Amino acid sequence: QVHLVESGGGLVQPGGSLRLSCIASGSLFSTYVMNWYRQAPGKQRELVAHISSGGSTNYADSVQGRFTISRDNDKNTVYLQMNSLKPEDTAVYYCNANWNVLGYWGQGTQVTVSS
């Protein structure tokens, strides 16, 4: 079992920045494949960013160049740095871990981009 706890969401003006954090349980964090997803009201959950156990990253086209995913294996933490935020980035952001053929989810953190 892997437990995930997100933090760092909030209200920010368009053009602003936020950094989300996700702390994972377990001693094998370095082997987890980590993802950030988001779900806006009335829409399906979508993959935003991915980081492999080796540190390779991928991003959704809509956030490419604005968001950066990273991980600190010593702290069992994955981050999502979000810059140049837009109103359409408003959503609940979820941390996801894939390990041992199973997927695990955090409770989500709300990000609202509005003036």
Side-chain angles (χ1 to χ4, degrees):
Q1 187 78 6
V2 176
H3 295 284
L4 304 170
V5 179
E6 302 102 330
S7 62
L11 173 64
V12 63
Q13 292 187 342
S17 298
L18 282 175
R19 189 176 81 156
L20 306 182
S21 300
C22 172
I23 298 176
S25 66
S27 60
L28 298 176
F29 176 78
S30 63
T31 67
Y32 301 171
V33 175
M34 300 299 299
N35 303 291
W36 284 100
Y37 284 76
R38 67 185 180 188
Q39 188 167 19
K43 295 188 176 181
Q44 289 189 329
R45 192 171 296 188
E46 64 172 349
L47 178 63
V48 174
H50 160 93
I51 186 164
S52 72
S53 56
S56 298
T57 59
N58 282 293
Y59 299 93
D61 288 344
S62 59
V63 307
Q64 181 76 44
R66 299 189 297 122
F67 290 11
T68 302
I69 188 171
S70 61
R71 65 192 299 159
D72 185 335
N73 291 335
D74 290 336
K75 296 182 178 179
N76 275 30
T77 301
V78 63
Y79 303 98
L80 186 67
Q81 178 66 45
M82 305 185 294
N83 299 328
S84 302
L85 283 160
K86 305 175 181 180
E88 51 264 42
D89 295 317
T90 295
V92 178
Y93 283 71
Y94 296 91
C95 179
N96 165 262
N98 290 317
W99 178 73
N100 197 26
V101 305
L102 295 177
Y104 301 89
W105 295 89
Q107 82 287 350
T109 185
Q110 176 71 46
V111 171
T112 302
V113 185
S114 175
S115 54

